[in-house]
Amino acid sequence: MAYELLTFAVADRIATITVNRPDKLNALNDALMAELGLAIDEAVSRDDVGAVLLTGAGRAFVAGADISELSGQSAVQGKERAERGQRTFRKFEVSPKPTLAAVNGFALGGGCELAMACHIRLASDKAKFGQPEVKLGIGPGYGGTQRLPRLVGKGRALELLLTGDMIDAAEAYRIGLVNRVLPADGLLDAARAMLGTMLAQGPLAIAHCIEAVDRGLDMGLDDAIALEASHFGLLSATADMAEGTRAFLEKRQPSFTGT
Ligand code: COA
């Protein structure tokens, strides 16, 4: 698949998607959003890919939705744009293969929302986060009002949403918005190392963890743990579980096949 506004490269079973519109700080216009949807679809469907690393070219991760496109939209177009973007970001969230945002710089508005839709966020010490939409007289449209409180709690989320203030990587770590902060020049290596650890695990078990957390968080506890028990039972019938437990007992590394 040929992309114009992002690059897609596979190495060591990791698909690296680099948003590549640096002159506009990787702002998400409609064309770039469409490519992001195609790129995550490609990563999920390819057998040679087991994990996804998402980052940005230049000094931004993504500085938000493209304001020049937003400025002229009607109410109907705005709703449709939000729904399209939400569908695209949701693909990153429900991907059965781990998705990791390596936040190299500005992650504002849609950029923060895109990072939040990924399973893991690693931040460079130069990264900046925020939901500045209120400064434009609009609100988040790509899930920010929902994923931010789920990650950092209602009070902290509302502070960020209502002030539009930017926070640095250290503060993002303190409030639980990112998993780790790394020196800028070590960010991608750390991201690949973490994904490498995940790639060494049973891929079906990984997929079930992702699904149980994603679906379970929106269920009552009894339903959620029932879902977990079903997953646990299903995984017991896989070759991967037979191999993983046998390898432990035989004191060797497992060799998982995803079956
Ligand atoms: N949409 C469209 N263009 C954007 C953009 C966005 N969200 N964010 C940055 N750009 C463009 C700028 O217009 C500028 O383009 P130009 O060189 O053609 O004028 C270019 O990217 C560089 O941005 P600039 O503002 O000059 O860089 P800066 O270092 O002075 O400021 C930011 C960086 C991130 C603080 C600033 O660009 C900004 O506030 N961006 C908007 C963030 C936002 O509100 N996002 C939510 C949108 S809903």
Side-chain angles (χ1 to χ4, degrees), residues 71-87:
S71 63
Q73 72 189 9
S74 68
V76 171
Q77 288 166 336
K79 182 163 181 279
E80 286 173 353
R81 176 168 282 124
E83 288 170 347
R84 260 195 325 270
Q86 289 168 359
R87 279 195 297 275

Side-chain angles (χ1 to χ4, degrees), residues 23-25 27 59 63-67 70 106 108 132-133 136 166:
D23 54 322
K24 296 292 180 190
L25 301 185
R59 64 194 177 95
D66 190 313
I67 296 168
L70 298 189
F106 294 112
L108 302 175
E133 290 91 341
L136 303 168
M166 258 195 267

